[in-house]
Amino acid sequence: MSQLELTRDLELTRDLELTVNHTIAAPREKVFNAWLSPQMLAKFMRACEGMEVPKVHTDPVKGGRFSILMAVDGKEIPHAGTYLEIDPYSRLAFTWESPYSVDDSVVTIDLREIDSGTTEVTLRQVKFASEDARNGHESGWTRILAELGAALA
């Protein structure tokens, strides 16, 4: 593969993005706060069957860092990021650092109140190393949002 082809492939994969929508039977404030709480993150950040989340740390301020240590089948998978935007009850944005993401991947979570006890979550992530990485993240985020709904039920 030529350098030009490698550069083009890198540019194409860096443009990959995903959007996952999920409706949660909980007030918007409760859904928003769950994303900033280490105790709640440990309950719902489970991207696949059998995954455990033994350690979570958050500093939920703009510019603050978070870390989430996921573990599956005895293998630890570190995730971390920096909060870029914290708009109470409507939007969160943060960098997403994992072994399966590129360094400048960003996740944005928008919350829309459907009614006082129901929230629509739209999660968008941009920049992936490959289509397989994007597809894996889409599956993981879909499960995580379902786990969030169950944790808030």
Side-chain angles (χ1 to χ4, degrees):
M1 188 177 274
S2 73
Q3 184 63 35
L4 179 60
E5 289 171 317
L6 286 172
T7 301
R8 189 191 76 233
D9 286 351
L10 180 60
E11 288 172 2
L12 287 173
T13 57
R14 293 177 65 75
D15 289 338
L16 292 173
E17 60 183 61
L18 66 81
T19 300
V20 178
N21 294 296
H22 192 79
T23 301
I24 295 177
R28 188 168 62 157
E29 180 176 347
K30 196 171 180 181
V31 175
F32 181 87
N33 289 335
W35 284 97
L36 302 178
S37 162
Q39 296 80 11
M40 286 302 297
L41 285 165
K43 290 181 181 181
F44 73 85
M45 289 298 285
R46 300 171 191 281
C48 66
E49 185 69 34
M51 181 167 275
E52 297 296 322
V53 184
K55 294 182 188 175
V56 179
H57 169 77
T58 64
D59 180 16
V61 296
K62 185 175 178 179
R65 300 273 301 159
F66 67 86
S67 62
I68 302 166
L69 183 62
M70 299 179 188
V72 66
D73 297 330
K75 180 182 174 189
E76 293 185 342
I77 308 165
H79 295 76
T82 300
Y83 294 105
L84 303 173
E85 183 177 353
I86 301 176
D87 185 3
Y89 318 130
S90 62
R91 175 178 267 200
L92 284 171
F94 47 85
T95 61
W96 187 250
E97 304 158 16
S98 83
Y100 308 104
S101 297
V102 294
D103 289 342
D104 53 353
S105 186
V106 173
V107 174
T108 304
I109 300 166
D110 288 303
L111 305 175
R112 185 177 70 84
E113 181 178 84
I114 294 174
D115 60 42
S116 62
T118 310
T119 303
E120 179 183 56
V121 179
T122 301
L123 183 147
R124 181 172 179 255
Q125 184 175 358
V126 298
K127 299 189 179 172
F128 296 92
S130 67
E131 286 189 29
D132 285 345
R134 179 195 56 194
N135 296 342
H137 278 81
E138 185 170 21
S139 174
W141 287 122
T142 298
R143 183 177 175 94
I144 285 166
L145 291 176
E147 294 278 340
L148 173 58
L152 293 174

